[in-house]
Amino acid sequence: MELDFSNDTIEKLLLKKALVDKKWLNILTKVYDKRWFKDICIGPTIKNIITFYKKYDNIPNIPTIHALTKKYIEKYPDCEFKLSDVQQLLTDVSNLNFNLSDDVINANLKEYIRRNAFYNSLYDNAELLEKSPDNYEKVVDKCLENFDKVQKITFNDTDLGLNYFDEESMKDHWKYIMNPEAKIKTGWDSLDSYTNGGFLKDGKMLALFMAQAGLGKSVFLSNLGVNLLKQNLGVVVISLEMSQDVYATRFDAHISKQNINKLNENSETAIQKIKDFYKQYPKSNLYLKEYPPRSICSRDIEQYLDNLKNAGKTFDVIIIDYLNLVIPNHKTDSMFKDGLAVSEELRALSYKFKCPVVSAVQCNTEGMASAEIDMQNVSESRGIVHTVDALFALYQLDEDRENGIINLKVIKNRLGGKVGKHSAFKMDSDTLALADITFDNNFSIDNSDSELGNIMQNLPDISSDILNI
């Protein structure tokens, strides 16, 4: 049932909520706009209630509202109402009764607030747009920003959180800790060790690989994707740097174990191995979606993911290649704020879709080719560091390039600490497949006939050198 927005019924209902419900009063402190109210008494009355609430953290009683109204009239003698008008209004509101459930009433109030917030945002920017047509994009962004601010307000949060000392809550909490299925393995022993078993299965996290241009950010992300597919998981890859066909070629090489530059020559073998892979992991899914760099924001990514869900597709991990090429929902003139916003928005996607979001980020010049690379070397915005849950830096020293080694350093890690730990990965130049060679001499990457397989047999002690970094 929708209440009549054409009269003052919904306005009086909102006033009634402000008089008895701190939850709604708290919402009003964030979104109140006097232009919402056609009744000349309701807007100022709610404003007085909000002012009192902010100062005393309590709802004023009726005599207090009378006193606040007197002061308001003294301050604004030209206002169009009298104290008696407000007294009558409060009486009418107290007698207001629709015999409707709270769910119905709350739904109507939410719609009223959101509708008015959007209309006012359009109105605020219409004049500016008329005077300066060239400001179209800025006006639209500002309008959407105001609307998003209201959309993100929690209207009906009944979750009381984790009751830490409650026995049943404690059992559930420790069941989560002891449950290996609460994590998604990265497929690399060192990284799984550093993250206490991998990425959080239910999301609520953003992980980033940081490196200089051309070092291997995308290679790590595509290899991670294959590791996930081997767990019968669904993977979404958003590419803002390569076309989806070029990106898919990397998966072709990883999975088929064929030279990436000779796939056309070995197409039959490659296709058959990819089909065999899918037979082995029939529940896996891989979706690749390309966008031009710096052309989309997290809202666009969210829409694409919603489209997948609506089409009946499932996924367990979202890979975005890469963060610096995503624009914020509302662009500013500050690189710090924009980077912070993008990282927060991508992390928010992990909450909505209940799966981890993994991406990459560029390092600055000072972080190139250095084992000392750290969080201050994140390019463009240090705000990214404040948000990310796990940050892994990739680097190569001179001797590493000759041996095809890419090193990984743990920079930030809410998943398991161990900041400052290093790992080493060997990359097969044919397939671009990565082998974790950190903990032992198991150099196999399921590719015994590859160039790497032959090389590694002749380098049995390479891991000991890497561990001394």
Side-chain angles (χ1 to χ4, degrees):
M1 174 184 178
E2 184 174 335
L3 299 177
D4 186 359
F5 284 89
S6 63
N7 56 39
D8 64 355
T9 302
I10 197 76
E11 298 178 15
K12 288 181 178 178
L13 190 55
L14 195 59
L15 174 56
K16 185 168 185 174
K17 283 286 188 180
L19 289 168
V20 298
D21 192 334
K22 276 190 175 183
K23 178 187 71 178
W24 277 97
L25 187 51
N26 187 53
I27 291 171
L28 283 170
T29 62
K30 301 172 184 175
V31 299
Y32 168 84
D33 191 316
K34 64 182 180 181
R35 295 173 296 177
W36 294 0
F37 306 100
K38 298 175 183 177
D39 187 302
I40 59 174
C41 295
I42 293 180
T45 302
I46 291 181
K47 180 63 176 176
N48 285 334
I49 295 172
I50 289 173
T51 301
F52 184 90
Y53 174 70
K54 284 183 175 180
K55 186 173 183 178
Y56 300 105
D57 193 28
N58 213 339
I59 299 174
N61 56 26
I62 298 301
T64 301
I65 295 175
H66 291 167
L68 293 171
T69 302
K70 287 181 180 179
K71 287 187 177 181
Y72 183 91
I73 294 173
E74 290 172 2
K75 185 175 182 179
Y76 304 103
D78 295 334
C79 66
E80 300 178 9
F81 61 87
K82 304 184 292 293
L83 175 60
S84 59
D85 296 327
V86 174
Q87 291 171 331
Q88 183 60 51
L89 171 65
L90 295 173
T91 300
D92 293 343
V93 167
S94 66
N95 294 327
L96 200 61
N97 187 2
F98 291 103
N99 293 319
L100 297 173
S101 69
D102 283 342
D103 288 342
V104 172
I105 291 174
N106 290 341
N108 278 273
L109 291 176
K110 285 165 59 178
E111 177 62 23
Y112 172 78
I113 289 175
R114 285 175 170 161
R115 182 183 300 185
N116 278 282
F118 186 62
Y119 287 163
N120 288 148
S121 182
L122 286 174
Y123 179 83
D124 288 341
N125 292 285
E127 186 176 350
L128 176 61
L129 184 59
E130 185 177 350
K131 292 180 178 178
S132 306
D134 293 341
N135 285 332
Y136 169 77
E137 290 188 4
K138 185 178 290 187
V139 171
V140 171
D141 283 345
K142 186 64 177 176
C143 179
L144 292 173
E145 180 182 0
N146 292 337
F147 186 53
D148 280 354
K149 177 182 175 183
V150 177
Q151 290 286 82
K152 291 177 181 177
I153 291 176
T154 302
F155 285 94
N156 294 309
D157 187 2
T158 58
D159 184 359
L160 300 181
L162 174 67
N163 186 357
Y164 183 77
F165 290 110
D166 175 72
E167 187 171 346
E168 289 303 314
S169 296
M170 189 175 291
K171 286 180 181 178
D172 289 340
H173 171 59
W174 282 94
K175 183 179 179 181
Y176 163 79
I177 290 178
M178 304 298 290
N179 179 17
E181 294 185 359
K183 296 289 187 73
I184 293 177
K185 291 183 179 298
T186 67
W188 293 311
D189 289 344
S190 62
L191 208 54
D192 287 336
S193 171
Y194 299 155
T195 55
N196 281 333
F199 298 146
L200 303 181
K201 187 174 184 178
D202 61 353
K204 304 178 183 178
M205 63 154 289
L206 171 65
L208 295 178
F209 293 91
M210 173 175 64
Q212 67 191 63
L215 180 57
K217 297 186 298 296
S218 297
V219 168
F220 262 81
L221 293 178
S222 59
N223 273 271
L224 173 64
V226 173
N227 294 347
L228 298 169
L229 295 175
K230 288 180 179 179
Q231 299 174 61
N232 270 309
L233 299 176
V235 180
V236 175
V237 177
I238 308 290
S239 174
L240 295 103
E241 192 172 35
M242 293 178 276
S243 75
Q244 54 201 38
D245 282 318
V246 172
Y247 219 112
T249 301
R250 296 198 172 189
F251 280 92
D252 295 336
H254 298 339
I255 293 173
S256 71
K257 307 178 181 68
Q258 300 298 302
N259 188 313
I260 192 169
N261 296 312
K262 298 179 180 179
L263 287 171
N264 59 334
E265 301 173 19
N266 304 304
S267 59
E268 290 186 10
T269 301
I271 292 171
Q272 187 56 53
K273 288 193 174 185
I274 292 169
K275 289 181 177 179
D276 292 342
F277 179 93
Y278 189 59
K279 286 181 181 178
Q280 187 175 358
Y281 308 105
K283 294 182 180 179
S284 64
N285 284 303
L286 175 61
Y287 304 99
L288 296 145
K289 176 67 172 176
E290 68 178 77
Y291 293 97
R294 300 189 184 277
S295 65
I296 63 163
C297 58
S298 66
R299 192 166 50 233
D300 300 309
I301 297 174
E302 181 180 5
Q303 182 61 61
Y304 167 66
L305 297 173
D306 279 332
N307 291 342
L308 282 177
K309 289 283 190 182
N310 293 336
K313 310 301 182 182
T314 61
F315 49 87
D316 304 282
V317 179
I318 302 165
I319 295 176
I320 300 170
D321 192 3
Y322 56 96
L323 185 144
N324 296 108
L325 299 180
V326 180
I327 59 176
N329 285 340
H330 311 293
K331 192 170 177 58
T332 71
D333 294 327
S334 166
M335 293 180 69
F336 175 89
K337 291 180 180 178
D338 286 352
L340 176 63
V342 170
S343 56
E344 289 175 342
E345 289 158 6
L346 294 186
R347 190 171 186 271
L349 292 180
S350 76
Y351 277 75
K352 174 175 178 177
F353 295 101
K354 295 181 172 57
C355 63
V357 173
V358 185
S359 188
V361 66
Q362 291 273 33
C363 77
N364 57 25
T365 305
E366 292 76 13
M368 293 182 180
S370 172
E372 303 304 316
I373 186 171
D374 214 324
M375 60 178 62
Q376 71 267 16
N377 299 122
V378 172
S379 177
E380 297 185 7
S381 173
R382 289 283 301 279
I384 295 169
V385 178
H386 300 327
T387 305
V388 67
D389 296 279
L391 177 61
F392 309 106
L394 309 177
Y395 66 94
Q396 273 187 330
L397 305 179
D398 290 339
E399 59 270 23
D400 297 323
R401 296 187 187 92
E402 299 175 5
N403 295 319
I405 300 295
I406 299 178
N407 304 298
L408 178 148
K409 179 182 178 183
V410 181
I411 302 295
K412 180 180 179 182
N413 188 11
R414 291 172 179 162
L415 307 179
K418 302 181 181 178
V419 171
K421 290 286 187 179
H422 294 256
S423 298
F425 296 81
K426 176 73 178 180
M427 184 173 72
D428 185 339
S429 60
D430 284 350
T431 66
L432 305 185
L434 292 169
D436 184 349
I437 59 174
T438 305
F439 287 160
D440 53 40
N441 291 331
N442 178 19
F443 303 128
S444 171
I445 54 170
D446 297 328
N447 192 5
S448 58
D449 58 348
S450 72
E451 176 188 352
L452 175 60
N454 295 325
I455 291 175
M456 296 313 292
Q457 291 179 12
N458 298 317
L459 296 173
D461 298 322
I462 193 169
S463 60
S464 61
D465 294 333
I466 297 301
L467 288 171
N468 291 326
I469 292 175

